[in-house]
Structure formats: C-alpha cells, structure tokens
Amino acid sequence: YQTYQAITQALQERDPKLLQAVLQNYQTTNTEMDTTISTFRKNQQAVINSTKYEFSNGPLEGINRKIKTLKRTCYGFA
C-alpha cells in the first residue's frame, strides 16, 4: 500500500526523483505489485520522462481510435 501511494504521489506531483527512488528501493512481496514494478523498471526511462514533461500522445491516440471505429462500422457500405 505504501509503495502504491508513493508512486501515485510521485506521478501527481511530477517528481522524477521520488519515482526513481521508489522503483529502486522496492522489495518484492509476491503480489501483483511485483509485476507492476517490474514493468515500470523495464520502461523506466519512459516513465521518468512522463513526470518530467507535459507532453502526451493521448489526444492523438483518441483520434486514431475514432478513425478505426469509423472504418470498422462503415465496412461493407457501397
């Protein structure tokens, strides 16, 4: 629970040092959190960059999803 709260706090406050410290000091507990931390460690640079920079590709991905949905629903119309 403490690890989860620390990660949430680091992401909300955009604090890369706190996030990096949490990822490095995590002790395995044989829970689902181990998988999450492992994934964060594999993609550590991207996760750290998300706290440093304000940029997001969320709006672009939303547009792509709408285009794909439109293509799927319009398939077969003449």
Side-chain angles (χ1 to χ4, degrees), residues 60-74:
L60 179 64
E61 292 297 329
I63 292 170
N64 287 343
R65 181 173 173 267
K66 288 179 183 178
I67 291 170
K68 288 181 181 181
T69 303
L70 241 170
K71 288 171 69 175
R72 188 172 45 252
T73 57
C74 294

Side-chain angles (χ1 to χ4, degrees), residues 1 3 26-35 37:
Y1 179 77
T3 304
Y26 179 73
Q27 302 289 327
T28 58
T29 58
N30 296 325
T31 62
E32 290 80 13
M33 185 62 95
D34 293 346
T35 307
I37 297 296

Side-chain angles (χ1 to χ4, degrees), residues 16-66:
K17 292 179 183 177
L18 175 62
L19 184 60
Q20 197 166 20
V22 170
L23 293 178
Q24 288 176 352
N25 297 329
Y26 179 73
Q27 302 289 327
T28 58
T29 58
N30 296 325
T31 62
E32 290 80 13
M33 185 62 95
D34 293 346
T35 307
T36 304
I37 297 296
S38 173
T39 304
F40 279 174
R41 284 180 180 164
K42 284 182 197 173
N43 302 307
Q44 187 170 4
Q45 189 59 44
V47 174
I48 298 296
N49 284 344
S50 72
T51 60
K52 287 181 183 178
Y53 306 111
E54 304 260 338
F55 302 115
S56 171
N57 66 340
L60 179 64
E61 292 297 329
I63 292 170
N64 287 343
R65 181 173 173 267
K66 288 179 183 178

